[in-house]
Amino acid sequence: MRFVMRLSTIGCIITTSSFCQTSFASAVKSSESVLFQGRLLEDGCSNNPLDPNSDVGAQMSSSLFSSYENKLYLPTKSDPCNGMTLHWKIIDSSKIQIGVTVKSNSQGWVGIGFSETGGMKGADIVYYEAATNKLVDAHVGDSYAMPMKDQLSQDWSLLSSNTSDDGYISFEAERDLIVAAAPGHEDHNIVNDSSVWVANHRIIGAWGSGTTISYHNKNVVQGTVQLFSDDDGNSAGNAHANFLADMEQRSDGHVVLKLSDYQVPSD
């Protein structure tokens, strides 16, 4: 396996110009995306049906969520060939629609969440149970526990769902971007993250084969995603690619550091 790191020299060590401030903010904003995008995928995943960038995955993506421009594959830490496909779009700057696909079984469940910390604690969750075709708006408190159903309001609406004989589960849902106006609301607002001064959204996901939501075991993913396109036309989703494109224009140059055949420790 190979690990590649790219460093751009931006000459901002002792200056406080607006360019350097913006570049630094962009670097900080994309730092977690660098780690995510740098995750190595094994050669055996080249035709992963869940990865919309593969030929097989593109066909599945098109058949299930053809109207979505933004799509991303989030692999698990334990197996890069196993993961979650996320599709999304922003509607009239007021709503978000998502489409989620995993491989489990036709009676399983899948959940996705927005987390300020990047973990389960305090996360805003929505999950789908295929056995009953039920969508639940939920949240997690300050502990590692099963998501609790929101009592104040159920803000997610199920738009469509699909299961296949070979174990793939998909669902499509919608909610308002801004819902947490009242104190004590159980949901997180989904804000415009296109500016370099606004942090990208941290996404978590999990799924299982049981008929109701339960412990996910190794079926869990994490990622940092830019949900909104920026004013320069850079696409949502790949914040790391946007950062590299920006640095390509602004920096004096770059250097590539590469280790060939480096074995990543398993523990």
Side-chain angles (χ1 to χ4, degrees):
M1 294 189 292
R2 295 181 300 171
F3 178 79
V4 179
M5 179 183 296
R6 180 170 177 165
L7 302 177
S8 294
T9 60
I10 57 179
C12 295
I13 298 176
I14 58 174
T15 181
T16 58
S17 67
S18 60
F19 156 66
C20 292
Q21 291 173 352
T22 303
S23 298
F24 178 75
S26 179
V28 171
K29 177 182 171 69
S30 68
S31 61
E32 291 184 349
S33 296
V34 171
L35 296 176
F36 169 70
Q37 295 292 336
R39 183 172 295 164
L40 300 175
L41 299 183
E42 297 174 355
D43 293 339
C45 301
S46 59
N47 266 330
N48 187 349
L50 289 169
D51 185 354
N53 293 315
S54 71
D55 292 340
V56 177
Q59 294 177 9
M60 177 180 286
S61 175
S62 177
S63 65
L64 291 172
F65 305 112
S66 59
S67 65
Y68 288 76
E69 295 181 0
N70 305 309
K71 49 188 177 291
L72 194 66
Y73 172 62
L74 301 169
T76 65
K77 292 181 179 179
S78 60
D79 180 5
C81 298
N82 185 29
M84 170 184 289
T85 310
L86 171 64
H87 294 74
W88 76 95
K89 56 184 174 182
I90 307 299
I91 308 296
D92 298 329
S93 300
S94 63
K95 293 181 179 292
I96 185 172
Q97 290 182 358
I98 62 171
V100 177
T101 304
V102 298
K103 185 170 185 180
S104 179
N105 64 49
S106 60
Q107 299 295 304
W109 63 271
V110 53
I112 188 168
F114 299 87
S115 170
E116 293 180 351
T117 64
M120 191 171 180
K121 290 183 178 180
D124 180 10
I125 306 286
V126 58
Y127 65 88
Y128 171 74
E129 294 175 340
T132 55
N133 195 37
K134 181 175 67 174
L135 188 75
V136 179
D137 191 0
H139 65 280
V140 178
D142 190 23
S143 63
Y144 294 104
M146 186 168 9
M148 300 174 289
K149 182 178 179 179
D150 287 358
Q151 299 300 314
L152 188 60
S153 63
Q154 288 287 297
D155 295 298
W156 285 97
S157 299
L158 182 64
L159 301 178
S160 68
S161 59
N162 182 76
T163 59
S164 66
D165 293 337
D166 51 354
Y168 290 94
I169 300 176
S170 299
F171 77 88
E172 183 182 20
E174 177 185 82
R175 61 156 264 194
D176 289 340
L177 294 172
I178 307 300
V179 295
H185 200 287
E186 298 140 323
D187 286 318
H188 294 178
N189 288 327
I190 299 174
V191 300
N192 189 328
D193 58 0
S194 60
S195 169
V196 296
W197 304 106
V198 179
N200 296 319
H201 287 80
R202 295 178 176 180
I203 305 296
I204 60 173
W207 60 96
S209 58
T211 57
T212 59
I213 189 170
S214 57
Y215 179 58
H216 49 68
N217 206 333
K218 293 184 178 181
N219 296 325
V220 59
V221 296
Q222 296 171 301
T224 305
V225 183
Q226 181 178 320
L227 296 176
F228 291 73
S229 298
D230 63 26
D231 294 335
D232 295 327
N234 293 315
S235 299
N238 196 339
H240 177 51
N242 290 349
F243 170 71
L244 289 182
D246 185 47
M247 289 299 98
E248 189 74 29
Q249 295 179 354
R250 295 169 177 261
S251 65
D252 296 327
H254 68 270
V255 61
V256 176
L257 304 179
K258 180 172 65 175
L259 293 176
S260 299
D261 300 321
Y262 177 73
Q263 297 297 317
V264 179
S266 59
D267 54 356

